[in-house]
Amino acid sequence: MNKTKIIDLYSYDDWANSKLLTAVCQLENEEFIRDLSSSFKSIRDTMVHILGAEELWLSRWMGEQGRVLLISDDFPTYSSLKNRWDDFRIQIDQFLLSLTEEDLNQEISYKNLKGIPYSLELWKQMLHVTNHSSFHRGQAITMFRQLKKQPPSLDLISYFNGEK
């Protein structure tokens, strides 16, 4: 894995997250927080989980220890979530730009949320994060359908084909 490919993958991740956030902003707040009985009960909770996990992993890569996931109730509205996401986008972009090819192959040690230690090359951790986010975006898409709303298409091929 090289820096160019990682940046491409994270550009897709940002594109997909942005498209989903744009769709989320069309929801009524009641729909945003409605319990739809998924892995995370609502679209809000799912989106907060995606952002929280991406923030958690970035903090690990930056050498921070002991960070926890975000709490959904701290984001009562779409705006509160969007503002936090905008701040995160700046942080991840700065991190991506600072990466070198050597950095991607460095083993980074971390502890999972249960305190179990692991060590893995950075590029493998970075692939995990984008895969994790894709999985949960798929769940959010299903929740849109449960609400009888038209979800956006977030396919990687759509991104590569330049679809807006």
Side-chain angles (χ1 to χ4, degrees):
M1 184 60 62
N2 66 39
K3 181 178 176 176
T4 301
K5 289 178 182 164
I6 283 286
I7 288 176
D8 279 349
L9 190 57
Y10 273 78
S11 292
Y12 161 71
D13 188 63
D14 180 56
W15 173 86
N17 287 336
S18 294
K19 280 191 75 164
L20 189 52
L21 281 166
T22 298
V24 168
C25 92
Q26 305 301 314
L27 298 174
E28 297 295 326
N29 201 59
E30 183 280 324
E31 294 169 320
F32 179 56
I33 64 172
R34 185 184 301 170
D35 187 341
L36 297 168
S37 301
S38 190
S39 292
F40 298 94
K41 69 178 186 174
S42 65
I43 290 175
R44 176 201 55 192
D45 292 10
T46 304
M47 298 299 290
V48 168
H49 178 73
I50 293 168
L51 176 60
E54 290 196 15
E55 283 187 0
L56 174 67
W57 280 99
L58 178 60
S59 73
R60 290 171 175 165
W61 304 333
M62 303 291 290
E64 205 179 299
Q65 298 297 321
R67 184 142 182 185
V68 296
L69 290 171
L70 299 174
I71 298 167
S72 295
D73 288 343
D74 290 343
F75 301 91
T77 64
Y78 165 80
S79 303
S80 59
L81 178 63
K82 176 76 165 72
N83 291 338
R84 178 71 174 247
W85 218 305
D86 289 344
D87 291 342
F88 172 72
R89 290 174 71 193
I90 293 166
Q91 295 169 17
I92 191 68
D93 286 347
Q94 290 171 344
F95 177 77
L96 291 168
L97 289 174
S98 75
L99 282 177
T100 65
E101 301 289 330
E102 295 78 29
D103 292 335
L104 291 171
N105 291 307
Q106 286 283 79
E107 278 201 12
I108 305 242
S109 297
Y110 65 94
K111 290 181 181 175
N112 71 9
L113 294 173
K114 295 177 182 174
I116 301 169
Y118 292 94
S119 187
L120 216 68
E121 294 94 335
L122 176 60
W123 72 268
K124 290 178 182 176
Q125 294 179 34
M126 294 182 80
L127 288 180
H128 163 73
V129 171
T130 58
N131 184 65
H132 175 267
S133 293
S134 289
F135 174 79
H136 289 298
R137 283 190 299 263
Q139 291 178 320
I141 293 300
T142 297
M143 289 185 223
F144 266 82
R145 290 187 178 113
Q146 287 176 292
L147 292 170
K148 308 287 189 243
K149 303 288 184 179
Q150 179 63 44
S153 173
L154 304 178
D155 288 336
L156 180 61
I157 198 70
S158 298
Y159 168 76
F160 283 136
N161 285 329
E163 293 179 24
K164 300 268 182 200

